[in-house]
């Protein structure tokens, strides 16, 4: 019997959570906007309790994103929140800031710690370092290539999580860059949303076909990739290497789209685990995803097969 | 608006711990200038693990020479080893760190905990400073790194003076912050624009400064639910929905500057008392890629301001000459970053960036003869009789004069100093000293 990797998806709301669990997700990533980073949506403690019950009833897991870069003022609110979600029975949290690690070890020592420093989780030694501090999982940077990921897995003393689908963050500033630009233009945003719901994007003059979503929230300004990672075609390579968790990023996507993506990956994982030798990817598994894919966003291999220089 | 850090005691309180002035040194020559002009410590890059793959960077031999030179001034040399390592980088770390320690490096500036951990285990005598690339913003994270054995944390550029003072109150550790120079507008390390635009890895030194490129801002104007597959786009959905201008609203008008993330440069010269009173232990100047003239000028200005404050905090006033000096080396407009408030539209550069620093380094004083009132100048840029030049140096040299007659080392008269590094003698209006610099205003064509 092969190890069955977890299929993890972000959920923006209780409605989406239910739909994604129905579609076959093994775990959901949720969170509170105060402490999370680029969450698909905000879950109050009450919603968190509901989603934990919903997931546990099906044998599924709930992880909470605490990936924010914390200023001093948030440290006071953090312990109570960590305690509260631990009492609700969440299955783990994601962190980047050591302050979160220290708080969890003190307030809720049983809680699984997943180290996610986004673009800076780039090698096995650092992952194992955080493992020695109590982390049970590393979320690998999306800028790594397939060889770096697969060669890393046997060297890891913690679980490995890899993003297999969706957009990625490519730039994060504490500055309010859209608001600043509008003020500079003399047309301030006058209270209008500059958030995820607004549909703002940037185009660089030499890349007219690439649209980079941009939004502001309390963590500052976020610029997102112009394409969506999709590694379904080579999912067996990651599963064969022993990656423990396969993540679908559902940020800025409609529920129907995320449901279609979950179903496609669910199908592939189940077939692979049942019989790896007979497993063969079929192009038509992609059809429901392609059908709902934003035509202005390419489905791409991201950095899985790209050489980067420096 | 966030308020400035208030001193803890009633009445005016003056901290008398002198902060370290930490300067960049892109190569051995720049190191010597930085130290001579008053840096207490310099940071350099080695051949590996640094974030400036475009800088000259030091061999171990050059590091040894730099350390020897700095030692004469009581100054220290730090090495930036601040990449986020990839698997292939791990194997060489131990040998590299041993070599750094062996050549006399005082501290390494590190972002990746794998390198932190290796250094602590392997070369405990080598101090480890946590790089700003870790974006450390709060006291609890700082105390984590203290427990890991680090004597110093370089905070993220996003911390305010008030937050820095809070951190100092909570944790007994050295705090270093950038006080001058160019800034990532993103959280350091949290930007992979270069990777996406040019396949160059910013976190291993390949940054191509895409944040300073120009962009157009739009709003998606497609009604929700109109996303369709490519084949459907061809036949079923009305094609005008996919036309630019219908599906996207430009949020810029033709006369507007384009969108940019580019930040103005940091300059805290006018806030030296606030920085010292907040308890910052090390004042860091950015710019390993900058010129000798830049490094010497900037170090000189901050050295004078810090020394003046420490000598008599109560009567300290900013000398406007120091600020004028800085502007002679600046190539971007300046601001105060996050120290007092979150940067807004005044703090970014939307206009075309064309400006070069207004002055050139023209010559280096290598000898002064008090009897004849002449100096031997090593040529660093073209100069000739009749031109106005300015002498400045770390001690008291600071005057303007017109270049008079020039002679070569054999006493032959010259119509201009044309040859790079040529030794040229000239009369000087006031005494000068070895290592003083002569600059001339650029002729703007």
């Amino acid at each position: 019997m092969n190890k069955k990797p977890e299929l993890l998806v972000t959920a923006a709301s209780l409605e989406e959570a239910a739909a994604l669990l129905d579609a076959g997700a093994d775990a959901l990533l949720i969170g509170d906007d105060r402490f999370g980073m680029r969450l698909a949506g905000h879950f109050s403690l009450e919603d968190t309790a509901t989603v934990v019950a919903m997931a546990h009833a099906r044998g599924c897991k709930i992880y909470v994103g605490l990936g924010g870069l914390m200023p001093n003022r948030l440290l006071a609110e953090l312990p109570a929140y960590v305690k509260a979600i631990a009492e609700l029975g969440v299955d783990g949290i994601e962190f980047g800031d050591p302050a979160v690690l220290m708080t969890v070890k003190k307030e809720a020592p049983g809680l699984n710690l997943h180290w996610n420093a986004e673009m800076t989780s780039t090698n096995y030694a650092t992952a194992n370092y955080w493992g020695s501090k109590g982390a049970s999982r590393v979320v690998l940077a999306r800028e790594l290539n397939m060889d770096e990921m697969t060669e890393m897995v046997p060297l890891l003393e913690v679980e490995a999580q890899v993003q297999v689908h969706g957009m990625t963050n490519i730039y994060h500033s504490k500055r309010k860059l859209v608001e600043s630009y509008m003020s500079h233009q003399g047309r301030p945003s006058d209270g209008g949303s500059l958030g995820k719901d607004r549909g703002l994007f940037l185009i660089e003059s030499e890349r007219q076909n690439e649209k980079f979503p941009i939004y502001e929230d309390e963590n500052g300004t976020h610029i997102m990739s112009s394409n969506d990672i999709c590694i379904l075609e080579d999912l067996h390579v990651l599963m064969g290497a022993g990656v423990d968790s396969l993540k679908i990023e559902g940020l800025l996507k409609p529920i129907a789209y995320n449901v279609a993506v979950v179903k496609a990956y669910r199908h592939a994982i189940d077939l692979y685990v049942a019989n790896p030798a007979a497993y063969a990817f079929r192009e038509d598994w992609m059809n429901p995803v392609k059908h709902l894919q934003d035509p202005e966003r390419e489905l791409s291999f991201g950095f899985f097969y790209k050489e980067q220089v420096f | 608006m966030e308020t400035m850090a208030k001193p803890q005691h009633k009445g005016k309180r003056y901290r008398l711990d002198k902060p370290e002035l930490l300067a960049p040194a892109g190569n051995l020559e720049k190191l010597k200038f930085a130290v001579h002009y008053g840096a207490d410590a310099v940071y350099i890059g080695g051949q590996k693990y640094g974030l400036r793959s475009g800088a000259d960077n030091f061999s171990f031999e050059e590091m040894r020479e730099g350390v020897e030179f700095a030692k004469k001034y009581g100054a220290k040399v730090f090495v930036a080893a601040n990449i986020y390592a990839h698997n292939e980088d791990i194997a060489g770390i131990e040998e590299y760190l041993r070599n750094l320690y062996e050549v006399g490096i005082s501290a390494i500036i590190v972002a990746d905990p794998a390198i932190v951990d290796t250094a602590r285990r392997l070369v405990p005598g080598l101090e480890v400073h946590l790089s700003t690339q870790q974006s450390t913003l709060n006291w609890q994270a700082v105390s984590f790194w203290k427990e890991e054995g680090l004597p110093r944390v370089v905070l993220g550029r996003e911390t305010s003076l008030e937050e820095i003072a809070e951190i100092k109150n909570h944790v007994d550790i050295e705090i270093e912050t950038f006080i001058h120079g160019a800034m990532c507008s993103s959280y350091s390390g949290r930007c992979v624009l270069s990777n996406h635009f040019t396949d160059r890895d910013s976190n291993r030194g390949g940054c191509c400064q895409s944040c300073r490129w120009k962009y157009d801002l739009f709003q998606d104007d497609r009604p929700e639910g109109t996303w369709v597959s490519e084949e459907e786009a061809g036949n079923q959905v009305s094609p005008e929905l996919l036309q630019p201008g219908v599906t996207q609203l430009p949020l810029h008008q033709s006369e507007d500057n384009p969108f940019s993330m580019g930040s103005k440069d940091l300059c805290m010269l006018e806030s030296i008392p606030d920085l010292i009173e907040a308890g910052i232990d090390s004042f860091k100047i950015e710019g390993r890629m900058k010129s000798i003239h830049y490094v010497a000028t900037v170090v000189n200005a901050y050295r004078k301001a810090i020394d003046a404050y420490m000598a008599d905090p109560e009567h300290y006033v900013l000398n406007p000459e120091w600020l004028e000096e800085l502007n002679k080396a600046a190539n971007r407009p300046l601001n105060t970053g996050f120290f007092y408030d979150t940067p807004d539209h005044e703090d970014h550069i939307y206009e075309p960036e064309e400006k070069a620093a207004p002055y050139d380094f023209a010559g280096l004083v290598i000898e002064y003869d008090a009897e004849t009132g002449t100096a031997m100048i090593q040529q660093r840029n073209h100069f000739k009789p009749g031109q106005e030049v300015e002498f400045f140096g770390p001690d008291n040299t600071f005057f303007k004069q017109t270049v008079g007659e020039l002679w070569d080392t054999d006493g032959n008269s010259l119509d201009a100093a044309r040859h790079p590094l040529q030794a040229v003698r000239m009369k000087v209006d006031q005494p000068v000293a070895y290592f003083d610099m002569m600059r001339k205003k650029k002729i703007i064509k």
Side-chain angles (χ1 to χ4, degrees), chain B residues 239-253:
Chain B
E240 66 270 15
L241 272 179
L242 299 165
Q243 296 302 309
V246 175
T247 59
Q248 58 190 49
L249 282 177
L251 296 181
H252 52 90
Q253 295 169 4

Side-chain angles (χ1 to χ4, degrees), chain B residues 48-84:
Chain B
K48 289 163 83 177
Y49 306 116
L51 274 185
R52 292 290 177 275
S53 51
D56 293 350
N57 294 327
F58 284 64
S59 67
F60 291 119
E61 249 343 281
E62 290 169 322
M63 285 185 194
R64 201 187 294 275
E65 192 183 333
V67 168
E68 285 305 313
F69 183 90
K71 209 180 268 175
K72 289 184 221 150
Y73 291 78
K76 292 175 180 170
V77 180
F78 305 156
V79 167
N82 52 349
I83 60 163
Y84 279 101

Side-chain angles (χ1 to χ4, degrees), chain A residues 15-295:
Chain A
E15 181 198 0
E16 183 168 31
L20 296 175
L21 291 171
D22 281 344
D26 297 313
L28 301 178
L29 179 67
I30 61 151
D32 180 315
D33 279 337
R34 276 178 302 161
F35 308 108
M37 180 74 86
R38 290 179 286 279
L39 298 170
H42 173 78
F43 278 70
S44 64
L45 279 179
E46 199 186 339
D47 289 348
T48 304
T50 309
V51 81
V52 166
M54 191 193 290
H56 286 181
R58 304 162 188 245
C60 295
K61 291 181 172 165
I62 296 295
Y63 303 133
V64 176
L66 291 171
L69 293 161
M70 310 278 166
N72 288 335
R73 64 173 169 75
L74 273 183
L75 297 180
E77 301 170 41
L78 192 57
Y81 181 72
V82 165
K83 238 185 210 163
I85 57 170
E87 278 163 18
L88 293 177
V90 305
D91 300 279
I93 64 104
E94 278 193 3
F95 77 98
D97 194 318
V100 175
L101 175 96
M102 292 175 90
T103 305
V104 170
K105 285 172 86 169
K106 183 157 177 275
E107 305 293 338
L111 205 51
N112 284 311
L113 286 154
H114 298 175
W115 177 58
N116 182 3
E118 302 248 339
M119 46 281 265
T120 66
S121 317
T122 48
N123 71 74
Y124 67 89
T126 306
N128 290 340
Y129 167 86
W130 289 112
S132 76
K133 301 293 163 198
S136 59
R137 177 181 293 187
V138 52
V139 180
L140 297 180
R142 284 79 49 111
E143 293 75 25
L144 296 175
N145 64 41
M146 185 66 96
D147 291 344
E148 287 177 303
M149 290 192 192
T150 53
E151 78 191 12
M152 196 183 297
V153 175
L155 301 170
L156 287 174
E157 291 149 16
V158 291
E159 294 177 345
Q161 178 180 312
V162 171
Q163 181 174 332
V164 293
H165 199 98
M167 67 174 65
T168 62
N169 176 249
I170 67 173
Y171 171 96
H172 176 206
S173 175
K174 190 181 180 183
R175 299 157 186 260
K176 304 266 184 207
L177 291 169
V178 180
E179 189 183 298
S180 291
Y181 178 58
M182 289 179 169
S183 299
H184 167 76
Q185 290 172 309
R187 295 187 293 278
S189 59
D190 51 21
S193 164
L194 301 177
K196 286 183 288 209
D197 54 315
R198 177 79 179 268
L200 297 171
F201 59 89
L202 295 176
I203 291 182
E204 199 273 320
S205 63
E206 287 171 25
R207 294 167 176 77
Q208 290 295 329
N209 293 324
E210 297 174 46
K211 296 183 169 186
F212 296 89
I214 179 169
Y215 69 91
E216 287 183 7
D217 64 15
E218 51 200 273
N219 291 316
T221 306
H222 311 271
I223 302 176
M224 310 301 293
S225 60
S226 63
N227 51 32
D228 291 312
I229 295 174
C230 175
I231 196 72
L232 187 65
E233 186 177 333
D234 283 350
L235 199 64
H236 58 284
V237 180
L238 290 169
M239 293 190 283
V243 171
D244 302 275
S245 177
L246 305 167
K247 181 193 179 181
I248 294 164
E249 176 57 75
L251 180 67
L252 296 174
K253 303 286 192 206
I255 294 178
Y257 177 82
N258 288 333
V259 165
V261 174
V262 168
K263 284 181 175 166
Y265 282 83
R266 176 80 278 152
H267 183 67
I269 294 168
D270 289 347
L271 276 181
Y272 179 85
V273 173
N275 188 353
Y279 177 89
F281 167 75
R282 280 186 32 201
E283 199 65 50
D284 60 3
W285 299 349
M286 288 292 299
N287 287 347
V289 176
K290 283 185 180 162
H291 183 72
L292 295 169
Q293 177 70 19
D294 182 343

Side-chain angles (χ1 to χ4, degrees), chain B residues 89-113:
Chain B
D89 302 317
I90 301 296
I93 292 173
E94 299 196 355
E95 190 195 346
Y96 184 71
L97 295 178
R98 278 203 191 94
N99 284 331
L100 293 182
Y101 185 60
E102 197 265 319
V103 300
I105 296 301
S106 300
I108 52 171
I109 305 165
V110 180
D112 194 319

